[in-house]
Amino acid sequence: MRIKSLESYKEVYNKSVSNPEAFWEDIASGFTWKQKWDKVLDWNFTEPSVKWFQGGKLNITENCLDRHIETKGHHTALIWEPNDPKEKSRKYTYQELLEEVCRMANLLKAQGVKKGDRVCIYLPMVPELMISVLACARIGAVHSVVFAGFSAQSIADRVQDAQAKVVITSDGLNRGSRQQAVKRVVDEALETCPFVERVLVLNVLGWEVPMQEGRDISINETIQAMPSWIEAESMDAEDMLFILYTSGSTGKPKGVVHTCGGYMVYTAYTFLNVFQPEPHEIYWCTADVGWVTGHSYLVYGPLLNGATTLMFEGVPTWPDAGRFWQIIDKYGVNIFYTAPTAIRSLMSFGEDPVLNYSLHSLKVLGTVGEPINEEAWKWYFVHIGKEKCPIVDTWWQTETGGIMISNMAGVTPHKPAHATLPLPGIQPVLLNGEGKVIEENGVEGYLCIRFPWPSMIRTTYGDHERCRQTYFSNYAGYYFTGDGAKRDEQGNYRIIGRVDDVINVSGHRFGTAEIENAINTAPEVLESAVVGFPHDIKGQGIYAFVIVNNPEQDADMRVAEIQEAVVKHIGKIARPDKIILVKGLPKTRSGKIMRRILRKIAEGEFQQLGDTTSLLDPGVVEDILAKVR
Ligand code: PRX
């Protein structure tokens, strides 16, 4: 299963393309199945309908945990580093993690959770987050993790969409020097979700929080009485494993659905080949489990491979900007996977915080979530990797479930700012504006995938048509990624960024329409248009042009209200970086907002606005320019 040389990569890749079924069948055979599949693959991209390992039965937690007990029961599965470096860390062996997962699974079961039920998990980065995810999978419940930075309104939208019966949450959370309420946010969200039967509350801060009689249950008071064993539910390969909400071009986030068998096979395979972990090595992915990277490469991928995965509760800059490097030295981390935004933010503190630590344990570095600029790549390579660690630049998406295009550490070469080559089984193509495949190299186009892979999106929860429309309708017969990419003369891919109305802020996706909808709820707002602009740390920042009644009056208050509306509807992570109050927006005669012009203004390229004569009122551009210059 593991590829060890460039030659073998080429050979395996060719095999995977010439006979994908045989290729994946072989890899799938290395897992524990309760029953073998009847058919490896059944697919069409028109409905779309994609089914891998049909007829196969399994439980992913048996593959993450039970399978390792005999040989690795006493090996560390999870290391948890708390927010405060003075507090005690926690470690779980595979045996202990299995027991904790079973306890939580029994607790969920005792609360009436059954196979197929949706459970919303809104927890900070504590071990119980991972335990809850696996506990759901153990009993066949579908987890829907919501990042603990999302607002009450966002939780409510997601709980309603998934019709979750149970929510798992905590009293509050630690974030650097601050503590924040969590349960209170859930309580507010659930005011509009009366169908939620149970809220399981974990004590993280030791706060007294109001508990609703008949609905809320303390995890701490009930968990120890739960048996430490439960049989793993038998799941069909195509049964739902989880829903994860992500933003798209339209206003409402969609629930990306992943299924048990294919997701397991693909995340395990890609973790092993991209990061090339050796036994006893320590692997650290800094992503929150609230995002897909946390799902696939903090929880499932490493555990499926019997690796030691590190989870960090805190932030990179507290108590100081050396916190990441201190953790690497403390545990002897060998493989480190983070986001360009974190690298750029730490780079801004200079080399001093790095020089306090040796970082000699590092062997492999990784990046994910957004294009990494060459300057950040070089800083990472020189100052963190000491010019000896390969950097895997992993391109993928919530919808792809696992890494799609990336070099493989020490096996295929890296190239600054390039995700490089497709992993075995992945068939990317670049399409031109007419939807034709561009065959040659040294080109640029819309990135699509022409053949299914095991962990691809199956549907958008409760709305299959939306899945078809978003990913399979732009270019018939292809999965459309929404990204633009270049391919160099050697066939290496370089991802340019989104070509749709999605902004990638610090590696997190937001639809412009989603932010506009939130802004439009603020008092006195008549209309708004949001675009992305280059941001030194975040990659892209959010730039909002907003028409309000009487922009000259109470401008500061209007701006504050707009910020507040976004925080309320989405969360602090989507707060606009710039808000300009304007009299009008550049529109065509048919009423369409010309975002191209707004993007140029946001980028500060005032001389390159292009033709503005087709605008209904070219004067609005002058008005906007007068405000931003
Ligand atoms: O634009 C691409 C960018 O992030 C998008 C996917 O976002 P999300 O579903 O939130 O998943 C992020 C973590 C997998 C992509 O459409 N992206 C992700 N990784 C890279 C990237 N852009 C460039 N290089 C990458 N390595």
Side-chain angles (χ1 to χ4, degrees), residues 293 369-371 393-398 483 495 498 504 509:
T293 308
E370 49 176 317
D393 181 348
T394 64
W395 172 82
W396 58 297
Q397 312 177 296
T398 305
D483 280 326
I495 311 301
R498 304 290 306 192
N504 191 329
R509 277 160 61 173

Side-chain angles (χ1 to χ4, degrees), residues 62 82 155 222 265 298 309 385 541:
E62 276 189 342
I155 306 170
T222 47
V265 170
L298 193 158
T309 181

Side-chain angles (χ1 to χ4, degrees), residues 246-247 291-293 297 337 340 367-372 392-400 402-403 405 417-419 479 481-484 494-500 502 504 507-509:
T246 189
S247 299
W291 309 108
V292 75
T293 308
Y297 299 108
Y337 189 32
T367 145
V368 61
E370 49 176 317
I372 180 162
V392 289
D393 181 348
T394 64
W395 172 82
W396 58 297
Q397 312 177 296
T398 305
E399 294 86 345
T400 70
I403 299 170
I405 303 182
H418 286 70
Y479 165 80
T481 65
D483 280 326
R494 176 182 193 146
I495 311 301
I496 304 166
R498 304 290 306 192
V499 293
D500 52 7
V502 169
N504 191 329
H508 305 314
R509 277 160 61 173

